[in-house]
Every structure is written in C-alpha cells, then in structure tokens.
C-alpha cells in the first residue's frame, strides 16, 4: 500500500468556460493530475447540493465547481 | 402554515446510532413549503446521514419516501406494506407526522427529524415569522388584524407594557413590539379611542390551557 494519500477530486466544469479551458489545455498538450475527474455541466449554476453530496457519498474526497 | 427547523445532524445520528436500515419519510405539506421536510430535504438528509455513517464505518441503508401529507390517515396507509422492513422510521414532517405514524403502526419505532416551532409565514425568502398561536378564539379584529396573543411576548390584551422602547420588545431587541405597531396603526386610522375599550380576561380554555383540543365538524363525520 502506498503511503502517499491521493484524494479523488471531482471537478464540475461549465461547458462554456472551465471545460472549454480544459479542452484548450488538452490541445496545448498540458496535463493535469489523473486523480481529478472532470464532469461537464451546461452551466455551473446547474450544480446542486445533491450532486455534491452524492459525489462525496460515492467516494470523492474533494470537489470543485469551476465556471 | 406550520414552520419547523431541521434538527442538527448530530442529534439525528445519535437517535439512530443502533440501527442500520431506516425509512426516511418526507411530507409534501407545510414542511415542503418551509423547505425543511420535502423531497429535496429528504434527499439531502439521506445523503448526509449515509456519508456520516460511512465515515464512522457503520453504513446505513435508507429508503426515501415522500407522502402527500403525514396528518391524514389515508396517506399514512401508503407505507403499510413496507414500514416493517426497516429498523426504524424517521419522519421529516412536523410533530404531527411521527405521531400519526406511530399510532397507525404500533410495532415500529418512529423518530422526528425536525423541531416544530410555530404557525406563521415567510416574510421574505428564507425568513419565517410567527403570526398565530392557535388560541382558539380569534380576537385580531380588535387590533386591526395584528395579533397580540402570538406577537406580544406577554400576550397582552391591553398594551403596550412599560418595556416597549423604540418599537422593540423588552424581551429582545430582535422582537418587534406588536403593541407599538397596533397603537401606531390605530393612530394612523384615527381610532386610538378603540384601545380604551376594556377587554375582559380572555378565556384560555379554548387555547392549549384547556388541554389537548379537538375540532369536530358534524357535517363531515360519517
Ligand atoms: S387571536 Fe388567537 S387565533 Fe387569532 S391570530 Fe391570534 S393567536 Fe391566532
Ligand atoms: S414590549 Fe411590547 S411586545 Fe414586548 S411584552 Fe411589552 S407590549 Fe408585549
């Protein structure tokens, strides 16, 4: 077992800005840590408290909303 | 409507510390309107309880249910086939809900998840205020529609008391002195004389002081 704690991070990203920025980073061949999982949302306003609770309930250690 | 507040999560967790499988029942009535025990709040509480119990290494199974109301036997009946599949049932309705449930299903354990507070309304989004104390004999016509029973800390029929200052009640700066408002309204309407009329002592037997109350509508009783 590895000693290094690696939190599972969920990122809710707005289709029009944060997710688009992620796409751009991809085409620029920039990488981000593999423990960050990106979920595209139509608008960051779509993210509800229940989405966040369910994510934690199902094993996410941290999450952020970018938009 | 009836206004309630959600109990702290820790208190609910403590109540159900010895059970592993519960039914969590919301209500589409008042507690949905005051955002404390409707569908959304059932889902939030359910998820919060599961996270807390998972963290404590004792996972909790939850069946989420939403009833039309928990103050009518016909809706309470809707869980007759399922209520006994769980170690306990938690109600998100006002205090009436868990009581109707436990009267209908004596073999099960029922827990409240909200603190039922008062009859009132939303003065703005997210803020509810008390308006009626259910005294059983409404007298607000004497006070231009402002209730001194529910809204004066001392339920004075003749006021204000000597503690009224700057429109606030002596009990707390957070409490508006309703007697100040009653007097101002009478002055504005040129009817201050009304307040000189002596009101005999109120008969509190129609309120809670006469013991638990019943309302019977003969035309509806079969
Ligand atoms: S007088 Fe009694 S019934 Fe009328 S609003 Fe006040 S508490 Fe309620
Ligand atoms: S200050 Fe006003 S509201 Fe408070 S007890 Fe006196 S009369 Fe009632």
């Amino acid at each position: 077992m590895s000693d290094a704690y690696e939190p599972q991070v969920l990122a809710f990203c707005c289709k029009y800005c944060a997710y688009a920025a992620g796409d751009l980073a991809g085409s620029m061949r920039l990488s981000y840590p593999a423990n960050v999982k990106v979920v595209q949302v139509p608008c960051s306003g779509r993210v509800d408290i229940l989405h966040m609770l369910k994510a934690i309930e199902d094993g996410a250690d941290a999450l952020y909303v970018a938009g | 409507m009836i206004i309630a507040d959600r109990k702290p999560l820790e208190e609910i967790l403590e109540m159900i510390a010895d059970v592993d499988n519960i039914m969590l029942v919301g209500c589409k009535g008042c507690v949905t309107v005051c955002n404390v025990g409707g569908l959304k709040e059932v889902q939030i509480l359910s998820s919060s309880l599961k996270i807390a119990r998972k963290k404590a290494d004792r996972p909790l199974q939850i069946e989420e249910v939403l009833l039309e109301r928990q103050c009518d036997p016909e809706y309470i009946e809707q869980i007759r086939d399922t209520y006994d599949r769980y170690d306990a049932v938690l109600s998100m309705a006002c205090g009436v809900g868990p009581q109707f449930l436990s009267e209908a299903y004596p073999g099960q354990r029922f827990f409240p998840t909200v603190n039922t507070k008062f009859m009132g309304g939303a003065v703005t989004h997210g803020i509810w205020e008390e308006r009626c104390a259910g005294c059983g004999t409404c007298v607000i016509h004497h006070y231009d529609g402002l209730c001194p029973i529910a809204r004066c800390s001392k339920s004075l029929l003749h006021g204000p008391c000597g503690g009224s200052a700057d429109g606030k009640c002596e009990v707390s700066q957070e409490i508006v002195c309703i007697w100040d408002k009653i007097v101002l309204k009478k002055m504005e309407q040129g009817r201050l004389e009304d307040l000189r009329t002596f009101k005999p002592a109120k008969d509190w037997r129609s309120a809670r002081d006469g013991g638990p109350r019943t309302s019977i509508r003969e035309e509806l009783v079969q």
Side-chain angles (χ1 to χ4, degrees), chain A residues 4-50:
Chain A
Y5 164 66
E6 194 174 79
Q8 291 303 311
V9 182
L10 201 63
F12 291 103
C13 296
C14 163
K15 177 180 176 177
Y16 296 100
C17 50
Y19 193 87
D23 257 356
L24 182 65
S27 50
M28 289 166 73
R29 307 212 177 277
L30 297 171
S31 64
Y32 62 88
N35 57 331
V36 177
K37 308 282 185 295
V38 178
V39 178
Q40 189 197 68
V41 285
C43 167
S44 53
R46 176 67 186 88
V47 181
D48 186 82
I49 182 172
L50 286 168

Side-chain angles (χ1 to χ4, degrees), chain B residues 35-150:
Chain B
N35 303 75
V36 80
L39 177 63
K40 180 94 181 228
E41 294 76 28
V42 166
Q43 292 170 329
I44 291 172
L45 178 59
S46 171
S47 197
S48 308
L49 289 171
K50 283 192 226 161
I51 291 169
R53 286 286 295 261
K54 196 172 169 187
K55 202 169 151 202
D57 238 356
R58 187 168 174 179
L60 182 66
Q61 299 284 328
I62 305 182
E63 173 75 16
E64 298 167 14
V65 176
L66 185 66
L67 297 181
E68 205 62 33
R69 282 194 294 281
Q70 290 187 28
C71 50
D72 263 321
E74 62 190 284
Y75 301 118
I76 296 289
E77 274 307 304
Q78 292 174 346
I79 61 163
R80 184 159 299 281
D81 295 340
T82 48
Y83 79 95
D84 57 357
R85 293 184 196 157
Y86 307 90
D87 300 335
V89 177
L90 271 61
S91 166
M92 294 204 80
C94 73
V96 178
Q99 296 190 58
F100 263 55
L101 286 164
S102 62
E103 282 165 43
Y105 308 116
Q108 181 56 287
R109 286 202 292 166
F110 294 91
F111 296 93
T113 60
V114 307
N115 293 323
T116 307
K117 297 179 80 177
F118 54 80
M119 282 180 272
V123 288
T124 181
H125 193 61
I127 300 179
W128 291 268
E129 283 183 0
E130 185 164 14
R131 285 293 183 268
C132 175
C135 76
T137 314
C138 197
V139 293
I140 54 172
H141 50 296
H142 295 309
Y143 309 101
D144 289 328
L146 301 171
C147 174
I149 308 297

